[in-house]
Amino acid sequence: SSSLGVVPYFDILTHVSGQKLTENEGDIVNLIKENEVTVLGLFNYASRQARNVEVIPRRGWGGDDHHGLLGLLIRHGTYHNADLQCVHILEVYPGSPAATAGLQPFDDYMLGTSRIVFKGYEELDHFLNQFDNK
């Protein structure tokens, strides 16, 4: 997926080979065919730009087979209010771990980890409390 330029969390899959996706999760599975050129329609929520990328779904692409034909992890949902399902960085204190990591106030967002999506400050707080005093 990285060679396609797919941006995790911000790219939203809107259609597959010209077919608009619906609420039915099975649509994606039915539209993606192994070893056939497939056009993925993506909408980037951050830039508000739409684009198409071509991919040939296949097994044996070098990753684990449980990652499917595309090598992507897809979460079915809607993008309405997607900007509310993250934590916006508003201030970064000098000398802090956030400053060392290069986080920028007002420009950066915390979306989650590979295991959890931060839908708000409560999820972030709960996640961070796991590491308190460690």
Side-chain angles (χ1 to χ4, degrees), residues 105-133:
F106 300 102
D107 290 336
D108 287 332
Y109 295 82
M110 294 181 72
L111 304 170
T113 71
S114 61
R115 295 189 180 131
I116 184 172
V117 174
F118 300 144
K119 294 181 181 175
Y121 298 104
E122 294 78 25
E123 284 88 352
L124 173 62
D125 188 51
H126 178 71
F127 176 77
L128 293 175
N129 282 332
Q130 298 175 69
F131 305 101
D132 198 20
N133 295 321

Side-chain angles (χ1 to χ4, degrees), residues 89-105 110:
I89 306 298
L90 299 178
E91 189 167 1
V92 177
Y93 298 105
S96 69
T100 302
L103 294 176
Q104 299 296 312
M110 294 181 72

Side-chain angles (χ1 to χ4, degrees), residues 15-32:
H15 62 277
V16 175
S17 296
Q19 296 292 314
K20 184 177 178 182
L21 299 178
T22 66
E23 299 287 326
N24 182 3
E25 288 185 47
D27 285 352
I28 296 170
V29 175
N30 294 329
L31 292 170
I32 295 173

Side-chain angles (χ1 to χ4, degrees), residues 12 15 40 43 59 65 86 88 91 99 108 114:
I12 299 161
H15 62 277
L40 303 178
F43 174 76
R59 298 196 189 285
D65 272 347
C86 63
H88 193 185
E91 189 167 1
D108 287 332
S114 61

Side-chain angles (χ1 to χ4, degrees), residues 22-119:
T22 66
E23 299 287 326
N24 182 3
E25 288 185 47
D27 285 352
I28 296 170
V29 175
N30 294 329
L31 292 170
I32 295 173
K33 306 293 184 211
E34 189 170 3
N35 297 318
E36 292 182 16
V37 174
T38 303
V39 178
L40 303 178
L42 301 171
F43 174 76
N44 186 285
Y45 198 83
S47 69
R48 302 284 199 246
Q49 299 292 314
R51 69 185 190 289
N52 292 324
V53 295
E54 283 189 3
V55 62
I56 300 174
R58 61 182 172 81
R59 298 196 189 285
W61 48 266
D64 193 335
D65 272 347
H66 79 273
H67 291 129
L69 296 171
L70 295 173
L72 293 171
L73 176 61
I74 299 172
R75 184 181 84 174
H76 190 268
T78 65
Y79 63 88
H80 304 291
N81 296 322
D83 55 334
L84 299 177
Q85 297 187 27
C86 63
V87 177
H88 193 185
I89 306 298
L90 299 178
E91 189 167 1
V92 177
Y93 298 105
S96 69
T100 302
L103 294 176
Q104 299 296 312
F106 300 102
D107 290 336
D108 287 332
Y109 295 82
M110 294 181 72
L111 304 170
T113 71
S114 61
R115 295 189 180 131
I116 184 172
V117 174
F118 300 144
K119 294 181 181 175

